[in-house]
Amino acid sequence: MTAGYDPHAFEPFAVTVDLAVFTVRAGALHVLLIRRGQEPYAGAWALPGGFVLPRESAETAARRELAEETGLAPGVVAALHLEQLRTYSDPDRDPRMRVVSVAFTALVPDMPEPAAGGGGDADRARWVPLAEAAAPAPALGLAAGCGLAFDHAVILADARERVGSKLEYTCLASAFCPPEFTLGELQAVYETVWDTALDRPNFRRKVLATPGFVEAVPGAARLTGGRGKPAALYRPGPATTLHPPLLRPSEGPTR
């Protein structure tokens, strides 16, 4: 089957993985970043990731690199729902050599602060507000106007758009919520990711009218501030897709 095939006839190149991991903290969308401890781009912030080893899959490499570079517990990393975003293959995206990257994205509830795990080429890891990560400022340790390392700004923008679209057609918004949540907390996820205000009664009506989106927790309620009665609690329902979809307002950001 391989007679006449010469693998040396093709120029070798490397395969890497990059991860855009999002969560909601203090009412703002955050992304997990690492600070590079090695060249190229030493001292710059980047998405977690690294090289795929010869005998591992891209997803296995993604989980291994995430654990090594952020110090997140193996159980936490293993439980993450990773979704393949796309492949980035511009010949000049990495100054070291030809590198093709398989990017993944993940949506997670609020998690503890990460710490560089002592492996890979990261010397620091932290959750960064998306507004900072998308337009890095001196607070990120970069000079004003500098971007993320490699083509990670492009990957991050693509991942943000994918997350916004997934919330329209799937039930993944509940991945940002605790196991039991109020409809107000669920609405806050949509408003944060979409960067737009939503009408509360209309949102509530659409959510409750969508089969399998959420299920009421019998007898459970939570005080949410103010003098009103406690808000009912819900948990994710059995559905994975939304019928009909919950579409973003067409006028764009309003907050």
Side-chain angles (χ1 to χ4, degrees), residues 231-253:
L233 292 181
Y234 295 83
R235 58 188 169 219
T240 57
T241 58
L242 300 179
H243 300 287
L246 189 61
L247 301 178
R248 280 175 276 192
S250 58
E251 63 270 17

Side-chain angles (χ1 to χ4, degrees), residues 6 8 27 44 51 55 80 96 102 114 119 177 193-194 230 238 244:
D6 180 11
H8 300 291
F51 288 91
R55 300 298 300 173
L80 288 181
R96 293 169 292 190
V102 181
C177 296
V193 174
W194 288 347

Side-chain angles (χ1 to χ4, degrees), residues 23-30 129-131 160 167 184-200 248-255:
T23 194
V24 175
R25 290 185 145 209
L29 189 62
H30 285 58
L130 185 62
R160 166 69 185 274
L167 263 59
E185 290 170 332
L186 184 64
Q187 179 175 335
V189 169
Y190 278 91
E191 291 182 330
T192 299
V193 174
W194 288 347
D195 192 25
T196 189
L198 301 174
D199 179 73
R200 182 176 179 273
R248 280 175 276 192
S250 58
E251 63 270 17
T254 60
R255 297 198 306 167

Side-chain angles (χ1 to χ4, degrees), residues 9 41-43 48 54 76 101 108 129 134 152 167 171 179 217 237 255:
Y41 301 103
V76 172
S101 183
V108 298
H152 290 186
L167 263 59
C171 302
V217 179
R255 297 198 306 167

Side-chain angles (χ1 to χ4, degrees), residues 46-98:
L47 299 173
F51 288 91
V52 179
L53 299 179
R55 300 298 300 173
E56 67 180 353
S57 68
E59 182 169 334
T60 299
R63 296 185 189 278
R64 173 182 55 78
E65 286 287 346
L66 188 60
E68 288 179 356
E69 294 194 337
T70 67
L72 293 173
V76 172
V77 173
L80 288 181
H81 172 73
L82 297 182
E83 178 177 332
Q84 193 170 132
L85 177 62
R86 58 168 289 189
T87 299
Y88 295 82
S89 57
D90 187 288
D92 300 318
R93 61 177 303 275
D94 192 309
R96 293 169 292 190
M97 63 180 295
R98 177 73 191 275

Side-chain angles (χ1 to χ4, degrees), residues 97-188:
M97 63 180 295
R98 177 73 191 275
V99 176
V100 173
S101 183
V102 181
F104 293 83
T105 187
L107 319 176
V108 298
D110 193 10
M111 297 172 65
E113 282 292 338
D121 53 10
D123 68 8
R124 187 179 175 191
R126 59 175 278 209
W127 291 105
V128 176
L130 185 62
E132 283 187 41
L140 271 180
L142 299 173
C146 288
L148 298 178
F150 304 104
D151 55 356
H152 290 186
V154 175
I155 298 175
L156 183 58
D158 290 346
R160 166 69 185 274
E161 178 56 33
R162 172 69 66 84
V163 169
S165 297
K166 294 291 285 188
L167 263 59
E168 293 184 300
Y169 297 97
T170 76
C171 302
L172 284 181
S174 60
F176 284 116
C177 296
E180 297 180 353
F181 50 85
T182 68
L183 292 185
E185 290 170 332
L186 184 64
Q187 179 175 335

